[in-house]
Amino acid sequence: MQTQTFDLLGASPGLRHSLQVHRFGRPGARPKATLQAALHADEVPAMLAALQLRERLAALEAAGEVVGEVVLIPVANPLGLAQQLLGQHVGRFDLRDGVNFNRGYADLGAEVAGAVATRLGGEAAPNVAVVREALAAAAATLLATTPTQDLKHRLLREAIDADIVLDLHCDSQAVLHLYALTPQRDIAEELGALLGARAILLADESGDSPFDEACSRPWLQLQQRFPSHPLPLACFAATVELRGENDTSHTLAQQDADALVAFLRRRGVLSPAVASLPLPRCEATLLAASEPITAPRAGVVVFHVEAGEVVPAGAAIADLVDVYSGAVETLRCQSAGVLYARSGSRWAAAGQRLAKIAGRTLARTGKLLSP
Ligand SMILES: [Zn+2]
């Protein structure tokens, strides 16, 4: 295992944060997988799973079983990890400007289109090499003026040329679920089966350029832009939500690390490239059909449904209690499906999302992720 530590751009004189990156296998070997944990820094179960994964990868490397290259960033957001505000850890948004740490990644697909236009030919493999090189070159030249921008660019550089990118997060209170691109449904379902995912949410574009899509969407964009040249989607990227933010458990972390190792085997990053596939616990559904249950006004929340319960259309999800009148409004879902995540707070501000159900029928448009 090679470990590199990068100093991030300082926010002010005397203040430094650093990013630690572990590398396994031979640099440049294929397939390359990049995994990172807790980009939203208050989503700590992911860091526990990454530590378990680091231990396994070190042992596999010593046994000569890392045939590709693996990059592991166990603490993807040291800036957010340090953000304490009035006793609360704030890891989702940058306190400097309120920007979500998992949004606004550089859209390199559009940027490299011109550079690759004259270099693409009639064979897939050389085309993949051309695009990878162009994406890596574009990522290398990104300029940052703030620590957060610097962090985002560095993370992107570690992942933009990878075959597999797994961004490990968690939700507030949730069962294991993941997000990936719609045309990569098969690989997403394979990953989901190994992890025991209860929901797999697919979109061609979920909006505001989250990290996983910044790595995977350029291939989709270029495929659509140059239809006469064979170009596979050469990067599978997924956001993996390792349950809820309070679900820190050694047993679960070990189980998740084992599942990730099995996935890397099946994708040929590790040898032997075999691992049995458990029976899936769900089929993939469209993120556009995921139904948010939103509080129409402020109130006290009393849930009727736990994360992981499968509900019929019309089920009572939560009561919203008006604190002056005592009036109780029952919030119901339109969709049947698994309630895969719910809010950790029991006070709802007006307009707040309280729960999410992996439905099949609704067709939301616009930005599909939580803010
Ligand atoms: Zn997150």
Side-chain angles (χ1 to χ4, degrees):
M1 179 174 84
Q2 304 287 322
T3 301
Q4 268 182 297
T5 303
F6 298 100
D7 275 344
L8 297 172
L9 203 62
S12 59
L15 184 62
R16 280 278 174 199
H17 287 92
S18 59
L19 183 72
Q20 200 175 66
V21 179
H22 303 305
R23 302 181 195 284
F24 304 86
R26 189 171 47 81
R30 292 279 162 186
K32 175 184 174 182
T34 296
L35 298 95
Q36 65 180 27
L39 182 55
H40 290 136
D42 47 1
E43 298 174 354
V44 298
M47 292 190 282
L48 207 58
L51 287 173
Q52 289 290 334
L53 184 63
R54 185 174 72 185
E55 204 172 281
R56 281 157 180 69
L57 289 170
L60 290 163
E61 187 176 50
E65 293 185 12
V66 180
V67 292
E69 182 184 9
V70 183
V71 175
L72 176 64
I73 304 174
V75 181
N77 186 356
L79 302 173
L81 206 54
Q83 290 189 157
Q84 293 281 336
L85 186 67
L86 305 176
Q88 300 293 316
H89 187 191
V90 181
R92 186 173 182 84
F93 302 99
D94 185 352
L95 286 179
R96 198 183 57 84
D97 57 9
V99 173
N100 188 317
F101 281 112
N102 190 24
R103 301 288 186 274
Y105 283 79
D107 175 8
L108 298 181
E111 199 170 318
V112 305
V116 303
T118 56
R119 298 178 61 205
L120 293 174
E123 284 183 64
N127 288 345
V128 167
V130 162
V131 169
R132 258 193 200 130
E133 189 192 313
L135 289 171
T141 60
L142 292 169
L143 293 175
T145 53
T146 68
T148 301
Q149 253 180 3
D150 192 27
L151 174 71
K152 287 180 174 179
H153 294 347
R154 279 179 190 278
L155 294 174
L156 195 56
R157 279 181 206 125
E158 296 294 343
I160 192 69
D161 63 344
D163 300 81
I164 294 158
V165 176
L166 299 180
D167 194 14
L168 309 178
H169 290 239
C170 73
D171 211 308
S172 297
Q173 296 182 341
V175 286
L176 202 152
H177 59 283
L178 56 97
Y179 301 86
L181 286 188
T182 308
Q184 295 181 316
R185 177 186 197 118
D186 290 351
I187 310 177
E189 288 189 329
E190 182 179 317
L191 176 63
L194 290 163
L195 285 162
R198 298 290 312 283
I200 299 168
L201 303 151
L202 303 174
D204 282 338
E205 181 172 16
S206 46
D208 288 338
S209 195
F211 181 78
D212 60 340
E213 290 187 10
C215 299
S216 57
R217 283 199 80 249
W219 297 92
L220 190 58
Q221 290 167 280
L222 294 170
Q223 203 178 55
Q224 288 163 353
R225 176 94 176 249
F226 302 108
S228 58
H229 297 286
L231 189 65
L233 302 179
C235 173
F236 170 76
T239 295
V240 179
E241 305 281 352
L242 296 175
R243 309 173 193 83
E245 60 193 9
N246 291 332
D247 294 327
T248 54
S249 141
H250 296 304
T251 306
L252 290 174
Q254 287 162 5
Q255 182 185 309
D256 293 340
D258 286 339
L260 294 170
V261 165
F263 182 68
L264 295 179
R265 284 199 190 285
R266 291 181 62 93
R267 307 313 300 171
V269 182
L270 305 173
S271 76
V274 286
S276 59
L277 202 58
L279 280 178
R281 300 193 67 192
C282 69
E283 279 179 8
T285 52
L286 294 179
L287 179 57
S290 165
E291 182 185 352
I293 303 299
T294 304
R297 57 191 63 80
V300 174
V301 179
V302 180
F303 277 113
H304 292 295
V305 182
E306 299 285 331
E309 281 185 46
V310 176
V311 295
I317 303 300
D319 286 341
L320 194 60
V321 183
D322 185 282
V323 288
Y324 287 117
S325 69
V328 176
E329 180 177 5
T330 300
L331 306 178
R332 296 177 182 277
C333 59
Q334 297 176 53
S335 311
V338 64
L339 185 148
Y340 61 92
R342 65 180 203 179
S343 166
S345 166
R346 296 299 175 263
W347 173 251
Q352 190 175 328
R353 280 186 187 181
L354 301 180
K356 295 179 276 194
I357 294 158
R360 291 173 178 278
T361 48
L362 290 182
R364 290 188 297 141
T365 53
K367 291 173 185 174
L368 298 175
L369 297 172
S370 305

